[in-house]
Amino acid sequence: MRSEAASLPGSPERPNEDWVATALPASGSGGTVVLLDGVTPPAGDDGCVHTVPWFTARLGGALTELSASRPDMPLPEILSVAIRRTADAHRSTCDLSHVRTPQATVVLVRWDETRVEHLVLSDSVLLLESPDGSVRAVLDDRLDRVPVEVLRSLAATDRLRNREGGFFTAAADPAVAGRAVTGTTPRAEVRSLAALTDGASRWVDLFGEGDWTDCHRVLRKEGPLGLLRRVRALEAADGEAGGVRRWKRHDDATAAYAELPAP
């Protein structure tokens, strides 16, 4: 089995807030991929004494341990328990009711001999490749439905954060696990899979260099680091041309890719 992951910080001046892990049992019969994109809070109070990387490491670690060791637990339950564990780790020191309490997007994938389970929350992307080479993107598009002019206002964005009619991220409320996009695919119908934070998915959804199938081909041929380097080159060229297509010239960018052995 081939499994790779890569991550590049958006700036050398601040820590990378993404988090990624793959876990493969020694038996080789299954595995799991966990990918998080920490939400960078606006300047000002967020009610927490901890950093976003602290949060994503805690949440990512709990998701990896539970998804690898508890095959009896459905993925939404795993996310709920992991959120509760992480919240308990700083409940006594932080205001977890604050709308900007540390939070993250989530992609969680787990497979065994018979099926591939997935969970996606917020704007990170999961790609599932079938044996015939077709690629299906699993997306939670609720953030994309929010008008850009609304997202330019911090107050307006806060009113939609983890609210009905807005968008959802993994923060301190375990109930948000019920809002995730979930599903199960027969193992025989998945040849490989990939997970991307929005800093990596820019290759498709910002720069339009190809569709999700094209993106998957890059991952298969060049690996996650190859895709991330392509994104950085596009960002650099766009900046030199005076591009204004995004708020951040560079974002933390993370990708994971796994080829599943034939069942």
Side-chain angles (χ1 to χ4, degrees):
M1 177 177 170
R2 174 188 172 194
S3 176
E4 297 180 54
S7 187
L8 296 176
S11 168
E13 299 173 356
R14 62 177 183 83
N16 191 336
E17 295 172 340
D18 289 354
W19 200 91
V20 64
T22 61
L24 307 175
S27 65
S29 61
T32 186
V33 171
V34 180
L35 177 136
L36 307 179
D37 183 352
V39 177
T40 305
D45 179 41
D46 61 8
C48 187
V49 300
H50 301 96
T51 64
V52 174
W54 178 93
F55 174 81
T56 53
R58 288 276 183 155
L59 181 62
L63 288 170
T64 304
E65 184 261 313
L66 289 167
S67 60
S69 66
R70 294 293 306 274
D72 57 307
M73 290 177 65
L75 298 189
E77 183 180 357
I78 285 173
L79 177 57
S80 178
V81 172
I83 290 173
R84 183 177 296 107
R85 282 189 185 179
T86 305
D88 288 345
H90 65 141
R91 194 181 307 279
S92 63
T93 58
C94 306
D95 177 11
L96 303 189
S97 67
H98 197 292
V99 69
R100 296 177 190 166
T101 191
Q103 51 204 270
T105 74
V106 180
V107 175
L108 178 58
V109 195
R110 180 174 62 185
W111 63 94
D112 58 20
E113 300 92 335
T114 62
R115 61 181 180 168
V116 178
E117 305 166 81
H118 68 258
L119 178 152
V120 177
L121 185 66
S122 200
D123 61 349
S124 291
V125 180
L126 171 66
L127 303 179
L128 299 174
E129 184 202 25
S130 68
D132 65 7
S134 60
V135 175
R136 174 165 63 101
V138 181
L139 307 169
D140 175 359
D141 65 356
R142 281 170 287 202
L143 183 58
D144 292 335
R145 298 181 213 160
V146 180
V148 173
E149 57 270 21
V150 173
L151 294 176
R152 289 196 180 105
S153 165
L154 296 180
T157 301
D158 283 347
R159 286 193 292 270
L160 294 175
R161 193 183 301 278
N162 287 316
R163 297 287 188 275
E164 191 64 45
F167 60 95
F168 296 90
T169 56
D173 181 6
V176 78
R179 303 288 188 170
V181 176
T182 60
T184 302
T185 307
R187 168 68 179 275
E189 296 179 12
V190 180
R191 180 168 68 182
S192 66
L193 56 88
L196 313 171
T197 63
D198 65 346
S201 67
R202 287 180 169 194
W203 193 84
V204 173
D205 52 30
L206 179 64
F207 293 107
E209 290 293 299
D211 59 18
W212 295 119
T213 300
D214 297 323
C215 181
H216 193 274
R217 289 195 190 104
V218 173
L219 286 162
R220 174 181 288 276
K221 182 178 180 180
E222 304 176 22
L225 187 57
L227 176 66
L228 301 190
R229 285 172 173 163
R230 284 181 176 232
V231 171
R232 288 291 185 256
L234 290 165
E235 291 168 338
D238 187 50
E240 291 169 2
V244 292
R245 286 183 283 179
R246 57 191 182 277
W247 299 332
K248 297 178 183 177
R249 181 175 181 182
H250 302 294
D251 194 6
D252 298 336
T254 301
Y257 174 79
E259 291 180 356
L260 280 57

